[in-house]
Amino acid sequence: MKNLLESLHRLHLNVGRPSVSEISEKSGKPTDGDGYLGRSTISYVMSTPRLPNFRKMQRLVAVLVEFEPTGSMDLDLTITEFSNLWKAAARAEDSPPPSRRVQELRQTANAYLRLADQYQRAEHMGGRVISQRTIADEWAYVAELSAPLLGDDHPVTVEARERAGNTDSG
């Protein structure tokens, strides 16, 4: 949405910053139906943090292009650019970024999954021909991962520390 609003304001600036009244007048008369843009509609499209009506936004862009002093701005290209910006904003609005709490929960969930994977890896190391030091290091890492997540007294943490210590002697 931010890109759309910034682009609308940049277009407005590039065409000489016509007033809301001038834009409204250039859009037609209230009796013209959908083509007419009232001052409140223009203000809404140019400033609201919510996604504006697609047709109103397209009409505003078309009217602003008419203000371009040299007449060198390509209307179709500009409408396409703003349509793409609007669609991107609509997609982002449909799938807003996760809240901070959701992000924290995902990080925690990922940490638990990493711990589970590491635990499984350490379990399977014992059946292979690997140095006892390597196995001890794996269990120490499991303990390191589990302590902040589960606590120092949790059975997984305690077991991982014990296994790290038991294999350390071999």
Side-chain angles (χ1 to χ4, degrees), residues 3-91:
N3 289 341
L4 176 61
L5 284 177
E6 286 175 354
S7 295
L8 279 170
H9 285 280
R10 194 171 25 259
L11 175 61
H12 182 244
L13 178 67
N14 290 341
V15 299
R17 292 182 63 203
S19 71
V20 172
S21 295
E22 291 171 317
I23 298 169
S24 181
E25 286 176 25
K26 194 164 215 82
S27 76
K29 297 181 171 128
T31 56
D32 290 344
D34 282 344
Y36 173 73
L37 296 171
R39 290 188 308 251
S40 63
T41 300
I42 295 165
S43 294
Y44 178 82
V45 172
M46 293 286 293
S47 64
T48 185
R50 296 182 63 205
L51 193 64
N53 175 281
F54 185 72
R55 285 195 174 136
K56 298 287 183 189
M57 184 270 313
Q58 283 185 315
R59 179 67 180 133
L60 175 61
V61 169
V63 172
L64 286 172
V65 168
E66 291 179 33
F67 280 97
E68 207 279 317
T70 63
S72 63
M73 196 175 285
D74 184 323
L75 176 62
D76 291 335
L77 186 63
T78 306
I79 291 288
T80 299
E81 175 189 340
F82 278 90
S83 294
N84 290 337
L85 287 169
W86 187 94
K87 289 172 187 172
R91 282 190 300 274

Side-chain angles (χ1 to χ4, degrees), residues 106-119 145 149:
R106 284 183 180 161
Q107 286 176 347
T108 302
N110 287 336
Y112 279 102
L113 291 173
R114 194 171 89 223
L115 171 60
D117 289 344
Q118 193 62 41
Y119 187 94
L145 289 175
L149 288 172

Side-chain angles (χ1 to χ4, degrees), residues 18 90 105:
L105 289 170

